[in-house]
């Protein structure tokens, strides 16, 4: 079935332009696949060839310059049974190079037809990434100086499954387009064309000279790569494009969370407490605050945790502000911290000293940390033996548990009970050990 | 069941509840965990998730997927929203249902990647060329991030438009206590489907404010999608009548549905002289401030804006009408929304409380401002003429 609705001479292209001929070859090649119009989507890029969608009687998508590959990939992933064809120019391959390369790497099952006429025809004949050296264009009046973009080689070395190049004026181009359509995975064909409005008159390009150009640039015509023709041992592993899950309408269930059961008892707790855990990246500051927050929520309380850290990952400060309250928390910032747990100089520096802390605040600090004067009560703990007992990653949680008990916000046995009952997730055992050790540090703990 | 989750986790849960089945994204702080959580959520082929080469590809894939029938979401931060810009226009012109989450950070450019801010509120409104409206919602906490992400899908489907949901670092990465099951949600909406037979034009609308019937790319009805100005068949047109009809429709389907898009929480005191209008990260502090003020005997009204654009003018007028003398607007930017309120309420003093260094506005700051303003007014009243 012919998808083309318009005879070549009625298309909008300039006299002598080869676009119409390529579209006829494409329509014939699609027809030869036996696919029905509703099984085909033509995604057109921008530029002269971007107008082609209107001449086709199938699903069509006309988007932004250089991005046609992205729309095509989205369509193909949702509708893997469709034949999704991209029609793009040499300009589109320039502005959208990233998409071209990465769609090839992902082996997206789209078929890319590049209509390459070495310049921007629609906007006045400016040079494009494929303009050959010394090519005259409106923006390279003295001849292009840049290295010409080898589209085929670029996608070939980046995972494409089928790559070919040919001249629009060579009748065999139809066969090459057909081969690209039938190739599994990512297929691209670079079709060299004549822009009779600009590039041809400025550069005396003729059909025979296209062949010469191919030889001069060492960009040969023909099938350049076909993964299905590789060594047999590779075929099974590589011929199938990367599996993409199909689009299945469904009622979504939320993902299973490692979540403690809802409390049937509510932990005893003061009305509202504000805690700051301050240390360095890598000390598991946020995890420590998160674990206590989770236990509090599982125990029927409300918690909010606001973190402060720089963009670096294993370097710099890490602060967690944790609020635990018996009523909902609307503002997650700290106003009047009752407990500050200090694990490193980074954390102390980020806090900007301790002078502003209220007098009834308790500061729990690693014993080796030199502290400025503080109106608050300071309690020390030995980080090294603690690290040996519970692991370095759990010191922050132990110190936090120690502080909570020292503040008398919770009874040590109740906190241990909460940890044993409600700790969960990947670090459950380590968290329980850390809380056990932290509560044992405190006075009055039952050991 | 109460849970202790971040705003980003709430976004994912809201999207799943809304039937989201296609996510493409590019990692960026503070939005990254939305993408990685979807990788886990969609394991077992419950949906498709792709980490793309850049933000342009992320939104591009989502637009293609949405037009093939998916319920798509992409999440980013301000720098990524900048890269989405051109494609948001494509989604507008092509009438693509799409949910875009912007986890804002402080300042322009890369700004402060791990610092909070609400600086994209005007950018989100006029995020693309042409000047046509799109709905913008703003979460204030994890619970509203969940609800608004769900609502955004309903709006996107109903009006066939991209919808932006604003979050911010101190919502996205802050853990809060929420009971998602206790949040009441309206029924899930789907885009109006085209009839299986009879004539079909992909962009035909019976009234300017209604949305065209949808047939997916890949379905039995052949679809033309285009970002260029087109007629109801999706064919390029130079007919001025058709052009005006299309563009009027793009305006009216948002503007004439503005009433149904209004999403606010109004806590009004008919005798208040001060109205606090808040949204985003500053809202929590505003709520606490309102409680403290009332406890201290100051009468105050408060409106939380969950929909920023179109501006919920009807709800704001209702709040302002009874005799409010000043509108106080705390926000984590240089007073952007306050400026817009000045245009709508030129006769009322709009007092802006700003913070834009990555820190939070404290409830005390808002309380002090209001108390000062109220007492200044009283002093003024006692001055002899």
């Amino acid at each position: 079935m012919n998808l083309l609705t318009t005879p070549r001479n009625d298309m909008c292209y300039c006299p002598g332009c080869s676009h119409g001929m390529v579209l006829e070859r494409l329509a014939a090649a699609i027809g030869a696949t036996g696919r029905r119009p509703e099984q085909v989507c033509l995604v057109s890029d921008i530029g002269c060839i971007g107008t082609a969608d209107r001449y086709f009687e199938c699903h069509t998508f006309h988007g932004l310059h250089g991005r046609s590959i992205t729309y095509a990939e989205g369509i193909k992933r949702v509708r893997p049974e469709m034949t999704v064809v991209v029609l793009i120019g040499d300009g589109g391959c320039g502005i959208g190079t990233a998409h071209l390369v990465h769609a090839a790497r992902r082996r997206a099952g789209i078929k890319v037809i590049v209509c390459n006429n070495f310049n921007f025809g629609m906007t006045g004949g400016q040079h494009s990434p494929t303009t050959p050296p010394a090519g005259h264009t409106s923006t390279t009046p003295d001849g292009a100086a840049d290295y010409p973009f080898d589209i085929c080689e670029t996608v070939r070395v980046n995972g494409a499954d089928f790559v070919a190049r040919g001249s629009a004026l060579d009748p065999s181009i139809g066969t090459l387009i057909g081969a690209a359509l039938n190739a599994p995975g990512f297929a691209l064909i670079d079709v060299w064309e004549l822009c009779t409005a600009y590039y041809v008159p400025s550069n005396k390009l003729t059909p025979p000279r296209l062949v010469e150009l191919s030889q001069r640039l060492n960009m040969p015509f023909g099938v350049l790569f076909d993964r299905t023709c590789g060594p047999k041992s590779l075929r099974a592993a590589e011929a199938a494009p990367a599996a993409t899950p199909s689009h299945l309408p469904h009622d979504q269930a939320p993902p299973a969370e490692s979540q403690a059961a809802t409390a049937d008892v509510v932990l005893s707790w003061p009305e509202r407490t504000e805690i700051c855990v301050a240390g360095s990246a890598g000390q598991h500051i946020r995890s420590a605050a998160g674990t206590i927050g989770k236990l509090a929520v599982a125990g029927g309380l409300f918690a909010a945790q606001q973190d402060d850290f720089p963009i670096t990952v294993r370097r710099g400060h890490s602060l967690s502000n944790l609020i635990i309250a018996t009523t909902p928390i609307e503002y997650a910032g700290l106003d009047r911290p009752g407990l500050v747990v200090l694990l490193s100089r980074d954390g102390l520096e980020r806090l900007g000293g301790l002078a502003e802390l209220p007098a009834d605040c308790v500061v729990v600090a690693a014993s080796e940390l030199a502290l400025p004067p503080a109106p608050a009560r300071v309690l020390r703990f030995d980080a090294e033996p603690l690290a040996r007992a519970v692991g370095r990653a759990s010191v922050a949680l132990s110190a936090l548990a120690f502080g909570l008990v020292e503040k008398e916000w919770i009874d040590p046995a109740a906190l241990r009970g909460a940890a044993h009952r409600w700790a969960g997730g990947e670090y459950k055992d380590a968290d329980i050990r850390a809380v056990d050790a932290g509560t044992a540090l405190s006075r009055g703990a039952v050991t | 069941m109460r849970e202790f989750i971040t705003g980003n986790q709430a976004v994912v849960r809201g999207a799943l509840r809304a039937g989201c089945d296609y996510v493409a994204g590019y990692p960026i702080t503070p939005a990254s965990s939305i993408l990685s959580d979807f990788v886990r959520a969609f394991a077992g082929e419950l949906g498709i998730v792709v980490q793309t080469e850049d933000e342009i590809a992320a939104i591009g894939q989502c637009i293609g997927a949405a037009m093939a029938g998916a319920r798509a979401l992409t999440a980013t931060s301000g720098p990524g929203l900048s890269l989405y810009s051109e494609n948001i226009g494509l989604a507008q012109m092509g009438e693509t249902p799409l949910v875009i989450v912007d986890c804002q950070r402080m300042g322009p450019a890369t700004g402060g990647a791990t610092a909070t801010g609400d600086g994209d509120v005007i950018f989100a409104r006029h995020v693309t060329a042409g000047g046509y409206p799109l709905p913008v919602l703003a979460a204030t906490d994890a619970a509203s991030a969940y609800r608004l992400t769900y609502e955004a899908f309903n709006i996107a489907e109903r009006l066939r438009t991209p919808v932006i949901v604003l979050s911010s670092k101190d919502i996205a990465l802050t853990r809060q206590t929420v009971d998602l099951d206790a949040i009441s949600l309206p029924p899930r909406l789907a885009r109006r489907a085209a009839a299986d037979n009879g004539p079909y034009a992909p962009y035909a609308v019976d009234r300017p404010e209604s949305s065209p019937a949808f047939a997916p790319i890949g379905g039995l009805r052949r679809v033309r999608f285009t970002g260029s100005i087109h007629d109801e068949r999706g064919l390029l047109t130079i007919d001025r009548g058709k052009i005006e009809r299309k563009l009027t429709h793009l305006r009216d389907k948002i503007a004439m549905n503005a009433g149904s898009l209004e999403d606010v929480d109004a806590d009004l005191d008919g005798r208040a002289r001060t109205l606090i209008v808040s949204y985003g990260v500053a809202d929590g502090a505003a709520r606490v401030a309102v409680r403290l003020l009332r406890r201290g005997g100051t009468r105050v009204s408060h409106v939380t804006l969950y929909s920023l654009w179109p501006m919920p003018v009807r709800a704001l007028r209702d709040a302002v009408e009874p005799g409010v003398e000043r509108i106080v607007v705390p926000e984590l930017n240089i007073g952007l929304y306050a400026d817009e309120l000045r245009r709508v309420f030129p006769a009322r003093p709009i007092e802006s409380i700003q913070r834009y260094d990555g820190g939070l506005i404290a409830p005390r700051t808002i309380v002090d401002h209001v108390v000062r303003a109220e007492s200044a007014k009283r002093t003024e009243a006692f001055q002899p003429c």
Side-chain angles (χ1 to χ4, degrees):
Chain A
M1 133 144 231
N2 188 6
L3 296 182
L4 216 49
T5 58
T6 309
R8 194 197 302 180
N9 289 339
D10 293 347
M11 293 178 183
C12 65
Y13 306 116
C14 300
C17 170
S18 48
H19 283 347
M21 202 188 303
V22 174
L23 297 183
E24 284 176 352
R25 305 277 189 204
L26 173 62
I30 294 172
T33 64
R35 311 230 73 190
R36 294 190 307 277
E38 61 270 21
Q39 295 174 311
V40 178
C41 186
L42 187 72
V43 183
S44 58
D45 208 82
I46 295 289
C48 296
I49 199 62
T51 62
D53 52 291
R54 74 179 81 166
Y55 304 127
F56 281 78
E57 199 56 72
C58 58
H59 293 286
T60 63
F61 189 113
H62 177 65
L64 304 179
H65 195 26
R67 318 304 172 198
S68 49
I69 288 160
T70 71
Y71 314 125
E73 194 172 342
I75 293 166
K76 179 69 180 176
R77 283 175 183 270
V78 173
R79 303 271 177 186
E81 74 286 358
M82 287 186 90
T83 297
V84 182
V85 179
V86 172
L87 268 178
I88 190 170
D90 38 317
C93 288
I95 189 171
T97 304
H99 312 312
L100 199 65
V101 169
H102 297 285
R105 281 184 52 242
R106 287 189 290 265
R107 300 178 65 191
I110 59 175
K111 318 302 164 197
V112 181
I113 318 290
V114 182
C115 297
N116 179 359
N117 60 12
F118 313 107
N119 75 158
F120 286 76
M122 191 175 256
T123 50
Q126 297 86 354
H127 74 90
S128 86
T130 63
T131 303
H136 293 280
T137 70
S138 64
T139 47
T140 54
D142 300 327
D146 298 342
Y147 197 86
F149 180 30
D150 188 337
I151 297 167
C152 290
E153 190 61 9
T154 301
V155 296
R156 188 190 70 76
V157 299
N158 282 294
D161 296 282
F162 178 92
V163 185
R165 184 186 289 116
S167 161
L169 302 141
D170 183 335
S172 72
I173 197 72
T175 313
L176 287 180
I177 292 174
L181 294 180
N182 289 315
F186 181 93
L188 179 141
I189 175 163
D190 180 12
V191 183
W192 284 15
E193 293 208 48
L194 296 181
C195 174
T196 48
Y198 296 107
Y199 201 79
V200 163
S202 303
N203 294 278
K204 310 281 179 278
L205 197 62
T206 59
R209 285 195 176 167
L210 271 183
V211 180
E212 284 171 34
L213 187 64
S214 152
Q215 287 161 354
R216 178 158 66 86
L217 297 178
N218 195 22
M219 294 186 186
F221 289 163
V223 175
L224 307 174
F225 182 69
D226 182 350
R227 195 179 298 277
T228 58
C229 297
K232 204 166 186 181
S233 59
L234 282 179
R235 201 177 296 167
E238 296 189 12
T244 50
S246 62
H247 172 69
L248 301 168
H250 54 90
D251 269 323
Q252 297 278 3
E257 288 265 320
S258 58
Q259 180 64 39
T262 308
D264 43 17
V265 291
V266 176
L267 286 173
S268 169
W269 199 267
E271 191 183 342
R272 179 186 164 94
T273 57
E274 296 188 355
I275 302 155
C276 176
V277 190
S280 298
Q283 287 186 312
H284 295 243
I285 303 296
R286 296 160 71 194
S287 309
T291 298
I292 293 299
K294 263 190 184 168
L295 296 182
V297 172
L301 302 167
F302 293 85
Q305 178 189 345
Q306 184 219 12
D307 301 323
D308 173 31
F309 51 93
I311 196 67
T312 48
V313 176
R314 293 269 179 244
R315 199 172 273 277
H317 70 269
S318 177
L319 260 69
S320 277
N321 292 330
L322 178 67
I323 301 172
I324 299 176
T326 54
T327 53
I329 301 157
E330 288 167 322
Y331 173 66
L334 293 197
D335 182 34
R336 205 172 180 283
L339 171 64
V340 172
V341 180
L342 278 176
L343 290 122
S344 77
R345 177 141 297 279
D346 285 337
L348 180 62
E349 281 172 5
R350 181 62 181 173
L351 275 181
L354 305 173
E356 302 288 312
L357 294 177
D360 60 352
C361 179
V362 165
V363 176
V364 170
S367 51
E368 74 277 10
L369 207 55
L371 297 183
R377 182 161 68 104
V378 177
L379 301 173
R380 295 291 195 162
F381 69 93
D382 267 332
E384 276 313 309
L386 197 56
R388 281 195 296 277
V390 299
R392 203 159 292 281
S394 294
V395 168
L397 180 55
S398 284
L400 176 55
F402 171 53
L404 295 175
V405 170
E406 278 299 322
K407 275 299 285 191
E408 298 182 347
W409 284 338
I410 188 164
D411 177 75
L415 182 54
R416 280 196 296 274
H420 283 262
R421 185 161 179 197
W422 293 313
E426 203 179 334
Y427 302 106
K428 177 181 173 177
D429 295 339
D431 286 350
I432 290 172
R433 267 200 310 278
V435 170
D436 282 350
T439 55
L441 283 177
S442 56
R443 282 168 304 193
V446 181
T447 51
Chain B
M1 183 183 77
R2 283 198 208 129
E3 298 176 73
F4 190 47
I5 61 172
T6 63
N8 280 352
Q9 286 174 298
V11 163
V12 174
R13 300 278 289 275
L16 293 173
R17 187 75 188 273
C20 172
D21 54 12
Y22 197 98
V23 173
Y26 183 77
I28 183 168
T29 305
S32 306
S33 67
I34 294 176
L35 180 62
S36 47
D37 278 5
F38 271 114
V39 171
R40 276 193 293 278
F42 285 166
E45 301 199 1
L46 286 172
I48 298 167
V49 55
V50 190
Q51 180 182 321
T52 51
E53 57 274 18
D54 57 24
E55 284 90 347
I56 296 172
I59 188 170
Q61 283 204 16
C62 283
I63 292 171
M67 294 314 293
R71 291 165 78 99
L73 174 144
T74 185
T76 187
S77 185
L81 188 66
S82 308
L83 291 176
Y84 286 177
S85 169
E86 191 184 11
N87 263 316
I88 292 174
L90 179 73
Q92 268 186 325
M93 188 64 119
E95 308 204 40
T96 307
L98 174 63
V99 175
I100 298 156
V101 180
D102 173 17
C103 301
Q104 299 164 95
R105 36 161 89 177
M106 174 188 67
T110 37
T114 59
T116 203
D118 273 320
D120 298 350
V121 291
I122 300 298
F123 177 46
R125 179 191 193 184
H126 296 299
V127 69
T128 194
Y132 290 84
L134 58 83
V136 179
L137 311 177
T140 60
D141 55 13
S144 60
Y146 170 77
R147 182 179 70 80
L148 293 176
T149 304
Y150 179 91
E151 297 272 11
F153 274 93
N154 271 359
I155 296 167
E157 293 285 322
R158 180 164 65 91
L159 301 181
R160 287 203 38 194
T161 178
V163 178
I164 296 178
V165 179
L166 296 176
S167 175
S168 184
K169 179 260 162 183
D170 271 336
I171 297 167
L173 300 182
T174 291
R175 292 205 241 195
Q176 291 176 301
T177 308
V178 291
D179 183 353
L180 299 182
D181 299 332
I183 296 170
S184 81
L185 298 173
R188 189 194 289 182
L189 300 180
R191 58 200 87 166
R192 186 164 65 86
D196 287 339
N197 40 44
Y200 174 62
Y203 292 107
V205 289
D206 46 3
R207 294 186 314 278
E209 70 275 21
S210 61
S211 296
F214 180 82
I217 288 176
L220 290 174
R221 312 306 305 257
R222 267 164 272 160
V223 177
R224 278 187 197 286
F225 174 100
T226 178
S228 297
I229 189 71
H230 51 264
D231 64 13
E232 55 188 25
R233 296 166 299 163
L235 290 170
L236 271 55
T237 183
I238 53 170
D239 178 318
R240 293 206 192 280
K242 290 177 176 174
I243 292 170
E244 190 192 356
R245 206 154 48 240
K246 168 75 188 188
L247 295 179
T248 302
H249 160 66
L250 287 189
R251 180 194 66 193
D252 285 357
K253 76 171 182 176
I254 307 299
M256 291 178 72
N257 287 297
S260 70
L261 295 172
E262 289 203 1
D263 191 340
V264 306
D265 186 2
D267 174 11
L268 304 182
D269 177 336
R271 289 165 64 194
R273 290 182 302 173
T274 296
L275 166 67
I276 299 174
V277 174
S278 59
Y279 66 89
V281 185
D283 181 68
R287 285 174 188 272
V288 175
V290 166
R291 218 171 34 247
L292 293 173
L293 284 163
R294 285 176 179 164
R295 205 180 290 161
T298 305
R299 307 193 77 111
V300 59
S301 284
H302 180 212
V303 174
T304 298
L305 307 179
Y306 294 113
S307 61
L308 294 184
W309 309 111
M311 185 185 278
V313 173
R314 199 168 57 189
L316 283 166
R317 288 228 164 90
D318 288 348
V320 172
E321 220 61 73
V324 164
E325 292 170 12
R326 75 185 63 79
I327 302 173
V328 176
V329 188
E331 49 187 334
L332 295 186
N333 55 45
I334 57 170
L336 297 172
Y337 207 82
D339 277 348
E340 294 304 311
L341 286 171
R342 284 189 188 106
R343 293 184 226 286
V344 180
F345 299 101
R348 315 271 171 166
I350 310 280
E351 297 172 8
S352 170
I353 300 178
Q354 308 167 10
R355 186 165 183 185
Y356 39 83
D357 63 352
L360 297 174
I361 293 174
R364 180 56 55 192
T365 306
I366 301 170
V367 169
D368 290 349
H369 179 98
V370 173
V371 167
R372 213 168 32 243
E374 294 256 338
S375 60
K377 181 70 189 170
R378 269 199 297 278
T379 315
E380 221 168 81
F382 284 117
Q383 276 171 357
C385 301

